[in-house]
Amino acid sequence: MRTLICGAGIAGLTLAWWLRRRGGEVVLVEKSPAPRPDGYMMDFFGSGYDVAERMGLLGALREVSADIGGLDFLDPAGRRGGGLAYTAFRRMLHGRVLSLMRGDLERVLRAACDAEIRYGTSVAGFTDRPDGVEVATTDGAARRFDLLVGADGIHSTIRAQLFGPEERFLRPLGFHTGSYLFEDRALADRLGRRFAMVAAPGRQAGLYPAGGGRLAASLIHADTGPLPADPRGRVLEAYAGMGELVDEVLPYCPVDPYYDHVAQVRLPGWHRGRVVLLGDACGAVSLMAGQGSSMAMGGAYVLAEELASGEGSGGAVGAAARYERRMAPFVADKQAIGRSTARWMVPARKWEIAVRNKVMGLSDLPGGPLLLGASMRSLARSVVSPST
Ligand SMILES: Cc1cc2nc3c(=O)[nH]c(=O)nc-3n(C[C@H](O)[C@H](O)[C@H](O)COP(=O)(O)OP(=O)(O)OC[C@H]3O[C@@H](n4cnc5c(N)ncnc54)[C@H](O)[C@@H]3O)c2cc1C
């Protein structure tokens, strides 16, 4: 089977790996001129962890994972208002969790994947025919494939060509988020193995030790406006006055940090003919639900599995329909969790910040893991069945 995947991010690379493993011919086109190392630090568990295990990548991921001891909730004055011990968090997930930089996950996936990746290239247009999909790429090439996959993220152009402009399907949750990676050995030493979360009403700045003197800044603030033309300027303005620690971190913000709406994607369908959407393009769950990368890997695994069992039962078109039927309920479930946790992830009022900090701190108390463990395990529910 010949597949063109638009987008060499987490979903695209994972799908390419599985298709290549089953002998498929795969071309990836990626609009960035080169791999991008930026992005956030994530807790990687659930479907993504299970899929990575099946790909034999847990060892490589463990090597690049950050050794985080715990989380401290701080106010702008630097006072600790609660926290979470990572040992308790890991125990709740039976140790099946890693703290990973998005860029490191992408790097490990890319190294494992032997598909052709054309950087600085995108899909210029496509025509779906009964015997294949004709795809023209921006480098001037045109070829027929059995399947075209839109794994091109939350602002997917393949989705726009299939279903229309993104305003119809993108549901912003009322926040903007930014992230960047920088090096400051003295600050990294001061932070040690803990990550600091400084919260003020409607704003939150997370600072994670990423290893080797690197630190990852992960920012979220309430904002219902359009994306700014100058993201760095917006970051400096939005997070001003959040105390000394944040003041130390802001000057490191590059001119082009990762900066986007915190949003979900809801579509009437995930495929049309031989064109199918994957990952954030069809089912972004948002930062509020966590697990965007994990769901992207889960979706890629399920699509590859359905394509492998698809011969004689509707081919690629039938496989796309079965993939959507299996994945969509999982995505809807995580999206509902994301919408309901948004208020507690970035509280709008001081008293809500205090309540959130106390509840998270329960895991440090005897019996706390028992109390919070059930909800963590429901969050970690995986699309990969234990028997497969
Ligand atoms: C560099 C980067 C940093 C990120 N940082 C954060 C973060 O800090 N916080 C957060 O919540 N989420 C972040 N994300 C999004 C997060 O990675 C996704 O939610 C999650 O991994 C789902 O994976 P995905 O593969 O569906 O989408 P993504 O990981 O977003 O991958 C999509 C890929 O498609 C490429 N692409 C987009 N449009 C086109 C096009 N027209 N043609 C070809 N290629 C295209 C993109 O460059 C990207 O490589 C980031 C994404 C990227 C690309």
Side-chain angles (χ1 to χ4, degrees):
M1 197 179 76
R2 288 156 308 166
T3 306
L4 185 120
I5 302 174
C6 182
I10 308 302
L13 288 167
T14 307
L15 179 67
W17 189 94
W18 284 101
L19 296 182
R20 288 289 301 132
R21 186 179 168 198
R22 291 173 177 145
E25 194 188 319
V26 182
V27 176
L28 283 139
V29 291
E30 164 58 50
K31 80 167 178 191
S32 298
R36 288 179 58 184
D38 49 345
Y40 56 158
M41 173 72 80
M42 59 186 146
D43 295 316
F44 184 68
F45 59 94
S47 305
Y49 189 98
D50 294 349
V51 172
E53 182 171 50
R54 272 155 208 254
M55 294 168 79
L57 295 180
L58 283 186
L61 290 175
R62 221 166 261 128
E63 267 175 40
V64 296
S65 68
D67 177 23
I68 292 182
L71 149 72
D72 293 319
F73 287 119
L74 304 173
D75 69 10
R79 286 182 297 247
R80 189 175 186 275
L84 176 70
Y86 258 54
T87 40
F89 177 60
R90 285 193 195 102
R91 224 177 308 128
M92 285 186 241
L93 294 166
H94 304 296
R96 295 179 67 80
V97 55
L98 293 170
S99 300
L100 282 180
M101 291 298 301
R102 181 208 173 276
D104 289 337
L105 172 61
E106 192 188 284
R107 189 157 51 85
V108 167
L109 289 171
R110 196 169 44 247
C113 177
D114 66 349
E116 174 191 351
I117 307 178
R118 286 194 225 146
Y119 284 96
T121 309
S122 185
V123 168
F126 57 85
T127 312
D128 195 8
R129 302 187 197 285
D131 57 344
V133 52
E134 297 282 351
V135 185
T137 44
T138 53
D139 54 3
R143 248 189 83 188
R144 182 171 299 196
F145 291 88
D146 299 304
L147 186 70
L148 168 62
V149 180
D152 48 349
I154 198 161
H155 303 292
S156 169
T157 53
I158 302 293
R159 181 186 64 220
Q161 290 175 67
L162 274 189
F163 295 108
E166 74 174 33
E167 300 75 63
R168 291 196 211 149
F169 312 112
L170 203 67
R171 308 282 165 95
L173 299 184
F175 301 88
H176 286 190
T177 181
S179 64
Y180 53 92
L181 195 59
F182 64 96
E183 204 175 315
D184 183 330
R185 277 188 186 273
L187 184 54
D189 286 347
R190 237 164 64 213
L191 221 60
R193 291 174 54 236
R194 303 196 64 84
F195 90 75
M197 190 73 95
V198 183
R203 297 183 289 172
Q204 188 152 276
L207 189 58
Y208 300 73
R214 292 182 313 164
L215 292 151
S218 205
L219 313 166
I220 318 179
H221 67 276
D223 196 330
T224 52
L227 293 178
D230 169 18
R232 180 177 198 269
R234 185 74 190 108
V235 163
L236 299 187
E237 177 190 53
Y239 297 88
M242 283 190 74
E244 278 175 26
L245 185 58
V246 178
D247 285 349
E248 255 182 276
V249 167
L250 289 180
Y252 287 107
C253 181
V255 182
D256 59 345
Y258 169 82
Y259 190 99
D260 212 333
H261 291 287
V262 175
Q264 299 186 334
V265 170
R266 283 194 272 165
L267 280 174
W270 290 7
H271 63 96
R272 261 192 195 162
R274 291 173 179 274
V275 188
V276 60
L277 300 172
L278 182 65
D280 275 5
C282 55
V285 293
S286 88
L287 187 58
M288 298 302 179
Q291 297 200 73
S293 296
S294 196
M295 291 306 285
M297 289 181 73
Y301 174 84
V302 169
L303 178 58
E305 198 172 58
E306 291 301 342
L307 285 165
S309 67
E311 312 302 327
S313 51
V317 180
R322 289 192 302 279
Y323 142 77
E324 181 184 339
R325 272 201 300 279
R326 273 177 71 185
M327 273 311 287
F330 267 97
V331 166
D333 198 39
K334 308 276 187 221
Q335 288 184 329
I337 294 173
R339 288 192 297 276
S340 63
T341 52
R343 175 177 172 205
W344 296 106
M345 285 278 284
V346 189
R349 296 172 193 84
K350 270 192 176 164
W351 69 264
E352 288 174 334
I353 297 176
V355 170
R356 188 271 313 263
N357 294 354
K358 284 282 170 287
V359 171
M360 293 300 282
L362 281 178
S363 67
D364 279 351
L365 303 173
L370 208 65
L371 214 69
L372 295 176
S375 49
M376 275 317 295
R377 280 189 293 276
S378 113
L379 203 61
R381 205 161 66 89
S382 175
V383 292
V384 181
S385 75
S387 56
T388 345

